[in-house]
Amino acid sequence: MSTALKKSPLARVKDDFGGKDKLVDKIVGVLDSGDESKDDLRKRLLGVANKKLIRLFTVATETKQAGGHDKLAAATADKLGRAKDKDYVAKLESFSNGRLIDIMSAAERRQGAAAAAAAPGAAADGAKAPRAARPARAPKPVAKAPAPKAKAKAKGGSKSAKKKR
């Protein structure tokens, strides 16, 4: 889809959720508000930009599907192939949910690209063919040494000529 045909965040909110109020209600239902009441959270979210609300909803639902923050961190470490490294998993647990989801999606893309490159018919599927090797270049000619400069005669105007007199 080209960038000219993308919908604005306002249009996406209206089409996908039926309005900003309904999107905020869905987010409040999915999020754990912690020590903040749901009404205060709702008031605060109504002032947030539509694009940020869409991102927040996506992150919250994916975190909930993964089973929570700790399980999301473990799944991310597993995708990266470092599930047995306890220190690395502990470091991932210190990251935000959004960052964990971004790291996991990047790891999935890398695995997909590696699998596509390893597939036998990858070049026939529209991937670029490897470039042919360039022919060897001829060596550059050696530059000539600069010609010696002719000495100018001093006619009494220069200081060095006056000192000699």
Side-chain angles (χ1 to χ4, degrees):
M1 182 180 250
S2 71
T3 56
L5 298 177
K6 280 189 175 181
K7 292 182 182 178
S8 69
L10 177 63
R12 288 177 56 198
V13 166
K14 286 182 179 178
D15 291 346
D16 297 343
F17 303 102
K20 190 170 191 172
D21 292 334
K22 292 179 182 178
L23 175 58
V24 168
D25 289 336
K26 285 184 178 183
I27 292 172
V28 168
V30 172
L31 282 180
D32 296 329
S33 59
D35 58 348
E36 188 176 20
S37 72
K38 293 204 182 249
D39 291 332
D40 291 340
L41 179 63
R42 187 177 192 292
K43 286 179 187 176
R44 207 162 43 101
L45 288 176
L46 283 172
V48 175
N50 289 326
K51 188 172 185 177
K52 194 173 281 191
L53 286 174
I54 293 169
R55 170 76 175 156
L56 186 62
F57 180 72
T58 305
V59 168
T61 53
E62 287 185 24
T63 303
K64 193 169 186 176
Q65 287 174 354
H69 182 78
D70 295 335
K71 289 186 180 179
L72 180 63
T76 303
D78 188 42
K79 283 284 184 193
L80 292 171
R82 298 181 71 175
K84 293 182 180 179
D85 189 357
K86 301 297 180 194
D87 293 332
Y88 189 73
V89 174
K91 178 65 176 177
L92 286 178
E93 287 174 357
S94 70
F95 291 166
S96 69
N97 292 337
R99 189 168 181 188
L100 288 173
I101 289 171
D102 289 343
I103 292 170
M104 187 162 43
S105 65
E108 288 171 352
R109 281 194 306 268
R110 262 187 259 121
Q111 287 176 352
D125 293 340
K128 290 184 178 180
R131 244 174 107 178
R134 287 185 178 175
R137 292 184 180 178
K140 290 184 178 181
V142 178
K144 293 180 182 178
K149 294 182 180 178
K151 294 184 181 180
K153 292 183 180 180
K155 292 191 174 187
S158 69
K159 291 182 181 180
S160 62
K162 287 182 183 178
K163 286 183 182 179
K164 288 183 181 178
R165 289 185 193 173

